Amino acid sequence: MDEILEYLKKNPTYYLATVDAEGNPQVRPFGTIAKVNGALYIQTGMVKDVYKQIAAHPRAALCTFDHEAGTWLRVEADLVPDDSTETCDAVLNDYPNLRSMYTPGDGNCVVLRLDNIHATVSSFTAPTREIEA
């Protein structure tokens, strides 16, 4: 878990893949990741299409590339909403710039816990390595 967090903090833009209502893949840049009470969380708005897609199909994937190391991280997980205002506040504490758009308990801000994580680090020159989550 800590290795995933460290990798995503070092490479703060990752791409989140979901599935829309027609079964088409949808990919967009994301940037939030936080560890709260031993679990990893991302954050988005409930009014966004991405949240509606996650609500309908909670299994998602994210990927980012570390240019310096020449490796990429892939994470598959179930994204589970957490309605705790304390958890939302903790995630937003890591991203204070989002506080102009989101407030815990505002009916829009949602944090999503990554459950059933499967993570790998790959490169062009080394075998893919599993990360313990």
Side-chain angles (χ1 to χ4, degrees):
M1 188 98 43
D2 288 337
E3 184 177 356
I4 295 168
L5 178 66
E6 182 180 319
Y7 200 106
L8 289 169
K9 289 288 190 179
K10 181 181 177 196
N11 304 285
T13 300
Y14 59 87
Y15 295 87
L16 181 70
T18 59
V19 178
D20 69 17
E22 290 77 37
N24 297 311
Q26 300 296 318
V27 179
R28 79 278 292 152
F30 252 66
T32 55
I33 187 72
K35 186 176 176 184
V36 181
N37 298 323
L40 293 178
Y41 287 86
I42 65 171
Q43 182 277 331
T44 193
M46 289 180 172
V47 299
K48 294 182 177 184
D49 286 342
V50 66
Y51 179 70
K52 294 169 188 164
Q53 292 161 8
I54 291 166
H57 304 282
R59 191 77 177 162
L62 64 86
C63 184
T64 191
F65 186 73
D66 183 333
H67 293 275
E68 186 179 299
T71 61
W72 57 93
L73 170 71
R74 287 187 287 195
V75 178
E76 296 174 22
D78 296 323
L79 301 179
V80 180
D82 182 331
D83 62 359
S84 161
T85 55
E86 292 82 12
T87 303
C88 186
D89 195 50
V91 172
L92 290 176
N93 282 342
D94 280 6
Y95 299 91
N97 58 319
L98 292 177
R99 289 197 179 268
S100 64
M101 297 180 287
Y102 300 104
T103 303
D106 65 3
N108 183 36
C109 186
V110 62
V111 290
L112 303 158
R113 186 181 63 249
L114 280 67
D115 280 356
N116 302 314
I117 297 170
H118 177 258
T120 59
V121 174
S122 301
S123 78
F124 295 114
T125 58
T128 297
R129 179 175 59 85
E130 303 282 328
I131 296 179
E132 187 78 24

